[in-house]
């Protein structure tokens, strides 16, 4: 079961990284309800082993590509983000260590796995995966574009994805840089 979950997570991560055109140093934010992956109501049955499997599949992909992973915690920590300190050198760090029932199993796994983890209240990620309707939108850059994935479920959880693009400024006479779309 865990290998299947890991493989599904890896496939979704590969797909969003490709669709978003993520480059080394950019950030992928992930919200994951291990309860939803198991087929339960979000926040009702945090499962560390399931979160570890999801995390492992995603983390392999981002590490290979030099992309930072930002893990969204649950509502008990106000959806704080666990991320490598080097990804957010100028962000204000908050003092919290996530636990499975206060922060969520996915955030807990990130904190235990990252080399130099920190918690921040917010981030502006370049793309995101929302596993189990965790609502990651607040952690994406301002112009989020939905991405329909072929791999749209992990276990029993539905997966939504988004990439971001630069804002259009200047109206109809402006010339736009297509590489930023």
């Amino acid at each position: 079961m865990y290998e299947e979950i890991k493989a599904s997570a890896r496939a979704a991560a590969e797909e969003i990284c490709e669709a978003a055109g993520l480059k080394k140093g950019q950030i992928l934010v992930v919200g994951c309800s291990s309860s939803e992956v198991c087929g339960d109501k979000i926040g009702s049955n945090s499962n560390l082993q399931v979160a570890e499997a999801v995390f492992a599949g995603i983390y392999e992909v981002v590490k290979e590509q030099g992309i930072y992973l930002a893990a969204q915690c649950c509502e008990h920590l106000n959806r704080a983000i666990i991320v490598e300190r080097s990804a957010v050198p100028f962000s204000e760090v908050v003092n919290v260590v996530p636990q499975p029932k206060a922060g969520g199993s996915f955030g807990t796994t990130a904190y235990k796995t990252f080399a130099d983890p920190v918690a921040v209240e917010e981030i502006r990620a370049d793309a995101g995966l929302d596993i189990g309707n965790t609502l990651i939108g607040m952690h994406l850059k301002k112009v989020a574009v939905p991405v329909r994935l072929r791999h749209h479920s992990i276990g029993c959880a539905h997966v939504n994805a988004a990439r971001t693009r630069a804002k259009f400024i200047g109206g109809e006479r402006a010339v736009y840089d297509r590489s930023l779309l």
Side-chain angles (χ1 to χ4, degrees):
M1 171 175 113
Y2 298 120
E3 284 303 314
E4 184 177 317
I5 289 170
K6 180 180 174 183
S8 294
R10 181 178 177 89
E14 288 172 338
E15 196 173 347
I16 188 58
C17 287
E18 182 181 335
L22 292 181
K23 295 171 182 55
K24 184 177 182 176
Q26 290 188 303
I27 299 172
L28 174 69
V29 65
V30 176
C32 174
S33 168
S34 60
S35 300
E36 290 276 339
V37 173
C38 293
D40 297 318
K41 180 183 169 196
I42 191 169
S44 68
N45 189 21
S46 192
N47 186 310
L48 198 53
Q49 292 79 22
V50 166
E52 289 169 348
V54 173
F55 184 89
I58 295 168
Y59 198 52
E60 286 175 0
V61 173
V62 298
K63 289 285 279 186
E64 290 167 4
Q65 297 184 27
I67 297 165
Y68 287 107
L69 175 58
Q72 178 181 271
C73 292
C74 74
E75 67 180 295
H76 296 100
L77 297 186
N78 297 322
R79 307 252 185 260
I81 292 290
I82 305 302
V83 66
E84 290 281 7
R85 185 181 306 272
S86 58
V88 291
F90 304 108
S91 291
E92 185 175 343
V93 173
V94 295
N95 189 2
V96 69
V97 176
Q99 304 298 311
K101 299 278 185 190
S105 291
F106 192 78
T108 300
T109 300
Y111 196 89
K112 289 178 180 179
T113 305
F114 290 158
D116 189 13
V118 294
V120 296
E121 285 188 279
E122 59 187 9
I123 199 166
R124 293 289 170 241
D126 302 287
L129 285 175
D130 184 324
I131 304 165
N133 299 317
T134 60
L135 301 177
I136 60 164
M138 69 176 79
H139 295 301
L140 291 170
K141 289 180 178 174
K142 291 221 183 236
V143 184
V145 179
V147 175
R148 295 220 183 260
L149 301 178
R150 289 184 316 277
H151 301 93
H152 54 78
S153 64
I154 298 174
C156 295
H158 182 76
V159 178
N160 288 311
R163 64 177 180 83
T164 62
R165 66 160 176 79
K167 292 183 200 179
F168 289 126
I169 304 283
E172 64 186 49
R173 293 186 181 168
V175 176
Y176 300 107
D177 182 348
R178 291 280 176 207
S179 71
L180 298 176
L181 301 179

